[in-house]
Amino acid sequence: MEFELTIVVPVYNEQDNLPRVVSTFITYFETAPLSTKLLFVNDGSSDNSQKIIEEICNDDQRFEYITFKQNQGLSAAIKAGFDTVQTPLLGYIDADLQTNPEDFNKLLEYRDQYQLITGVRAERKDSFFKNFMSKIANVIRRSFTKDGMDDTGCPLKIIHTDYAKRIPMFKGLHRFLPAMILLQKGKVIQVPIRHYPRIAGKANFGLWNRLLGPLMDCFAYLWMKRKYINYTIVKKG
């Protein structure tokens, strides 16, 4: 089967969420407007995630995986997924399913006009502290990047694969995906989507990765923007 869209799902100690991911995506595959498969990126999980992932992929060719030797963090997992994907379009969603795969269909409506379509979480179901820190971080990021995005941390995105593969790698990358597409002269748009509470697994957040880390990453982005090389080949012989 020839696929048109690959959904990248980073996994770090998500053994309790993986069965729900599979059942949800098996249902989604039937309604997706494009032929779709899923790529698990196991970021060095120390629980039973790898065994479960292998069982899933052995049972259904629409599920694939790559596995890190050790934990490298979310940005590395996303980048590895981007580098592995071979379909024209790729998507991104978190294994906790706080966003709904069905909402990929809302994003895909804009795939011909935009190179990155990102969700923006309406009525977020996170804690007050997490929401507050995210709002501050987004204000800081927008002041540096001028990307116009309200919720770059939203774990639901569609990207043209050729643009995704040209994104340079650095820690904190996932907060700057729209800005990195804009550096390539691509077009971005945000679309309201649904958001749900986490019902299994453990979220990892705090003052550093919600506020101080993103602030430091903004300076890294400004350095990269000054050094960024962008070119278009118009003819080959």
Side-chain angles (χ1 to χ4, degrees), residues 1-234:
M1 182 176 181
E2 186 171 343
F3 295 97
E4 301 167 278
L5 170 66
T6 304
I7 306 299
V8 176
V9 181
V11 174
Y12 180 63
N13 292 346
E14 295 282 7
Q15 62 179 19
D16 295 330
N17 277 315
L18 287 172
R20 192 164 61 98
V21 171
V22 174
S23 61
T24 302
F25 267 94
I26 287 176
T27 300
Y28 173 69
F29 290 152
E30 302 306 316
T31 63
L34 302 176
S35 54
T36 304
K37 63 180 178 178
L38 183 149
L39 173 67
F40 291 112
V41 182
N42 184 2
D43 184 20
S45 296
S46 57
D47 64 358
N48 205 35
S49 292
Q50 180 61 28
K51 182 177 183 294
I52 297 172
I53 288 172
E54 290 183 17
E55 291 172 351
I56 292 167
C57 296
N58 287 336
D59 289 341
D60 193 325
Q61 66 171 354
R62 295 172 297 183
F63 296 89
E64 301 175 346
Y65 72 89
I66 58 175
T67 301
F68 287 174
K69 182 178 180 180
Q70 59 189 21
N71 179 247
Q72 296 292 332
L74 181 57
S75 292
I78 292 173
K79 177 61 174 172
F82 289 0
D83 289 345
T84 302
V85 168
Q86 298 298 319
T87 52
L89 292 171
L90 62 83
Y92 161 60
I93 191 171
D94 279 348
D96 58 22
L97 292 186
Q98 286 193 257
T99 51
N100 193 325
E102 292 179 358
D103 286 343
F104 277 122
N105 293 354
K106 297 180 182 179
L107 275 55
L108 286 167
E109 293 177 9
Y110 299 90
R111 65 186 183 275
D112 293 333
Q113 294 82 36
Y114 296 89
Q115 284 68 52
L116 181 146
I117 309 100
T118 183
V120 55
R121 291 166 285 189
E123 300 181 3
R124 287 184 62 174
K125 306 301 181 182
D126 292 321
S127 67
F128 172 82
F129 174 77
K130 189 174 181 180
N131 287 337
F132 179 69
M133 287 297 174
S134 292
K135 287 180 180 178
I136 294 177
N138 275 307
V139 169
I140 294 171
R141 190 211 67 259
R142 280 198 305 272
S143 69
F144 278 81
T145 64
K146 314 298 182 185
D147 61 11
M149 298 289 105
D150 297 315
D151 186 16
T152 60
C154 178
L156 197 81
K157 292 177 172 62
I158 293 289
I159 313 176
H160 286 237
T161 302
D162 56 342
Y163 279 77
K165 288 181 180 295
R166 292 197 294 265
I167 296 175
M169 176 61 190
F170 66 94
K171 290 184 178 179
L173 163 81
H174 57 284
R175 304 183 185 101
F176 293 86
L177 294 178
M180 301 306 290
I181 298 299
L182 291 172
L183 280 182
Q184 300 180 48
K185 309 303 181 185
K187 296 172 65 179
V188 303
I189 189 174
Q190 55 186 2
V191 178
I193 62 164
R194 294 167 289 180
H195 190 243
Y196 306 89
R198 174 184 269 268
I199 64 173
K202 181 181 178 181
N204 297 302
F205 69 91
L207 180 62
W208 173 256
N209 62 10
R210 290 292 171 186
L211 187 57
L212 300 180
L215 176 60
M216 297 298 293
D217 292 339
C218 285
F219 290 103
Y221 167 78
L222 290 182
W223 177 88
M224 182 177 296
K225 184 177 180 180
R226 289 195 298 269
K227 303 291 185 178
Y228 189 75
I229 296 172
N230 189 47
Y231 62 87
T232 303
I233 296 174
V234 296

